[in-house]
């Protein structure tokens, strides 16, 4: 189908579907590791690349292809390659596009495992990473070196929901001859289209909003075909490929992406407003609130504030833990992107290994709680949170 002809809601349920000879209405799940050929000549033609087609599911699989095409359509990308997880997508991007001696520049507040990958794994192979404050354009410029190949950005940030200017950072990256890679996990293509703002590649943890129901691990890289080529070569040879079953879950999960993101964002905005008015709450961090420092930028670059918010309870760690321990509905887990609302205390979980000084410097106080808002009624979510603040 011509993806330029349709809106994202339509693409989410229609793009990428390839019907088999049986004419099935729903997308088929092809659980097969390999494929058979009609003759020795056909086998030879497939292996030489003369004839397009599947060879082995570490390389390609029809269900995975459907998922990749649907996600590419949503992101407005020419191509997409799926991976076993979001981390595998970041790994494959760097393995495909960088080499020893190259330099990476990244915003400071990125996903914990991404920091480990950059700081402890890539460094062993001669790829050095510099960190900058995502909102400081001069710092981005100052960090660029002649060997900078990739500029890496996550926006909004976790857990403080800081919003960074994709368009401006893309300009800085391009002036330095580097590629801008955006982790679009928090917004998903339903709310933010980084390629349209100048990014070169998009990373997804499809584990989060693309699946949307917390069932599988999955990842993807989206962008121009010429840039996807090298990560794809790495994936087909090194093997961080997605399972067809997980790809099928994400393929079907994406059908409800827009409607979920709209509903979960609306819930988050309403909850953020109510928390902001509560006397025991010192501060709410949510890009959809006018009080958010980058509210104007968020409204320009995103369709809504998203489904993740953070708030600071007065009274520090004890008060925050009291809120967590008095919930009976919310799931106490660091995961996000689920229809079920989750609550986490960053200072003692996701950001617990950081020194208290560094944590304070990055604004993650002991009273801070992060909520990834789901589809329950906002009244029920609010009541569950207020119990521990009574
Ligand atoms: C979860 C997450 C990842 C990693 O994805 P996995 O699927 O868990 O490997 C990367 N970036 C962000 C922003 C995430 O939230």
């Amino acid at each position: 189908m011509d993806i330029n002809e349709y809106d994202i809601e339509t693409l989410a349920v229609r793009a990428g579907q390839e019907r088999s000879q049986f004419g099935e209405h729903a997308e088929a799940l092809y659980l097969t590791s390999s494929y058979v050929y009609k003759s020795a000549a056909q086998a030879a033609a497939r292996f030489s690349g003369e004839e397009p087609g599947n060879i082995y599911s570490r390389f390609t699989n029809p269900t995975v292809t459907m998922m990749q095409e649907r996600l590419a359509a949503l992101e407005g990308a020419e191509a997409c390659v799926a991976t076993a997880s979001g981390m595998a997508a970041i790994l494959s991007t760097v393995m495909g596009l960088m080499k020893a001696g190259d330099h990476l520049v990244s915003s400071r507040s990125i996903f914990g495992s991404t920091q480990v990958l950059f700081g402890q794994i890539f460094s062993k192979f001669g790829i050095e990473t510099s960190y900058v404050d995502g909102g400081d354009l001069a710092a981005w410029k100052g960090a660029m070196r002649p060997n900078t190949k990739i500029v890496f950005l996550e926006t909004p940030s976790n857990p403080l929901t800081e919003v960074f200017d994709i368009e401006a950072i893309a300009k800085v990256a391009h002036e330095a001859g580097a590629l801008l890679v955006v982790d679009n996990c928090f917004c998903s293509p339903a709310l933010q289209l980084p390629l349209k703002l100048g990014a070169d590649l998009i990373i997804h943890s499809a584990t989060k909003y693309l699946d949307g129901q917390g069932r599988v691990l999955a990842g993807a890289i989206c962008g121009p075909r010429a840039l996807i080529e090298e990560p794809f070569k790495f994936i087909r040879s090194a093997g961080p490929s997605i399972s067809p079953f997980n790809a099928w879950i994400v393929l079907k999960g994406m059908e409800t992406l827009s409607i979920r993101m709209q509903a979960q964002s609306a819930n988050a905005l309403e909850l953020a407003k109510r928390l902001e008015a509560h006397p025991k709450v010192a501060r709410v961090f949510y890009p959809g609130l006018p009080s958010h420092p980058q509210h104007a930028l968020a409204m320009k670059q995103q369709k809504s504030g998203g489904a993740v918010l953070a708030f600071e309870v007065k009274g520090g760690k004890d008060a925050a833990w009291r809120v967590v321990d008095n919930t009976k509905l919310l799931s106490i887990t660091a995961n996000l992107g689920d229809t079920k609302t989750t609550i986490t205390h960053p200072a003692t979980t996701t950001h617990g290994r950081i020194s208290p000084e560094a944590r304070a410097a990055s604004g993650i106080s002991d009273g801070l709680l992060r909520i990834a808002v789901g589809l329950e009624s906002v009244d029920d979510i609010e009541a569950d949170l207020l119990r521990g603040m009574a």
Side-chain angles (χ1 to χ4, degrees):
M1 75 194 280
D2 179 3
I3 65 165
N4 297 312
E5 195 181 326
Y6 298 103
D7 292 330
I8 188 167
E9 293 81 2
T10 309
L11 295 171
V13 292
R14 295 284 180 180
Q17 182 171 15
E18 198 64 60
R19 290 207 172 99
S20 78
Q21 56 175 316
F22 300 114
E24 67 280 359
H25 188 209
E27 293 75 357
L29 167 53
Y30 291 94
L31 282 179
T32 182
S33 53
S34 65
Y35 305 85
V36 294
Y37 317 103
K38 291 195 180 78
S39 64
Q42 191 186 34
R46 285 276 176 90
F47 273 81
S48 72
E50 249 167 77
E51 180 186 298
N54 299 299
I55 296 173
Y56 191 51
S57 285
R58 174 152 40 76
F59 311 170
T60 57
N61 170 282
T63 304
V64 173
T65 301
M66 287 192 269
M67 178 215 141
Q68 291 174 161
E69 288 186 3
R70 184 163 294 173
L71 181 53
L74 298 186
E75 288 286 4
E78 192 185 2
C80 168
V81 59
T83 53
S85 66
M87 293 320 301
I90 300 174
L91 170 71
S92 305
T93 301
V94 170
M95 287 293 134
L97 297 167
M98 296 182 84
K99 60 179 190 321
D102 286 346
H103 176 237
L104 203 153
V105 178
S106 171
S107 53
R108 206 180 305 280
S109 38
I110 51 171
F111 189 65
S113 295
T114 311
Q115 283 182 28
V116 174
L117 198 56
F118 289 177
Q120 294 174 34
I121 313 286
F122 295 156
S123 55
K124 289 200 296 187
F125 299 93
I127 294 171
E128 200 192 330
T129 303
S130 307
Y131 291 101
V132 300
D133 168 359
D136 186 347
L137 270 190
W140 283 106
K141 280 187 193 145
M144 299 297 153
R145 299 182 196 162
N147 59 341
T148 305
K149 282 279 158 62
I150 283 183
V151 171
F152 190 89
L153 177 68
E154 210 179 290
T155 179
S157 75
N158 180 32
L160 292 173
T161 73
E162 285 171 282
V163 175
F164 305 124
D165 193 334
I166 297 174
E167 206 167 0
I169 296 164
K171 278 205 190 94
V172 174
H174 295 157
E175 273 162 21
L179 299 169
L180 176 63
V181 177
V182 175
D183 183 329
N184 201 25
C185 172
F186 268 59
C187 273
S188 91
L191 302 184
Q192 174 169 277
L193 296 169
L195 295 179
K196 296 232 178 346
L197 297 166
D200 298 286
L201 286 170
I202 289 165
I203 295 292
H204 267 293
S205 169
T207 312
K208 311 295 167 53
Y209 292 106
L210 299 183
D211 166 12
Q213 294 170 67
R215 297 166 294 189
V216 297
L217 282 162
I221 313 163
C222 304
R225 198 170 301 283
L227 280 181
I228 297 290
E229 202 59 37
E230 291 301 319
F232 175 63
K233 260 192 226 167
F234 173 79
I235 293 160
R236 61 174 276 171
S237 301
S241 321
I242 193 169
S243 115
F245 179 78
N246 289 5
W248 182 78
I249 292 285
V250 173
L251 175 70
K252 300 304 284 176
M254 283 190 284
E255 294 189 357
T256 55
L257 176 67
S258 279
I259 199 163
R260 278 188 282 108
M261 290 312 281
Q262 280 167 33
Q264 291 178 223
S265 295
N267 261 357
L269 177 59
E270 181 57 29
L271 183 66
K273 285 182 187 162
R274 294 185 190 181
L275 288 171
E276 198 168 46
H278 195 281
K280 294 253 172 80
V281 173
R283 197 173 161 193
V284 179
F285 302 84
Y286 181 65
L289 287 178
S291 60
H292 188 279
Q294 297 94 35
H295 176 65
L297 173 63
M299 293 301 99
K300 193 178 103 184
Q301 140 175 321
Q302 303 173 197
K303 263 194 206 162
S304 74
V308 178
L309 65 86
F311 69 101
E312 203 179 306
V313 195
K314 289 178 188 166
K317 184 191 139 189
D318 291 347
W321 276 29
R322 204 173 308 125
V323 173
V324 175
D325 290 336
N326 278 287
T327 58
K328 38 180 208 191
L329 181 69
L330 271 48
S331 312
I332 306 171
T333 169
N335 198 26
L336 64 110
D338 203 296
T339 51
K340 297 176 173 69
T341 300
T342 66
I343 182 167
T344 185
H345 182 244
T348 51
T349 58
T350 50
H351 296 69
R353 281 170 299 177
I354 307 170
S355 73
E357 297 75 32
R359 211 161 45 227
S362 61
I364 298 164
S365 68
D366 288 346
L368 191 77
L369 291 168
R370 192 203 67 189
I371 313 290
V373 181
L375 283 179
E376 304 94 336
S377 102
V378 69
D379 293 338
D380 290 338
I381 301 169
E382 184 195 22
D384 212 43
L385 287 170
L386 293 195
R387 202 172 304 112
M389 287 195 265

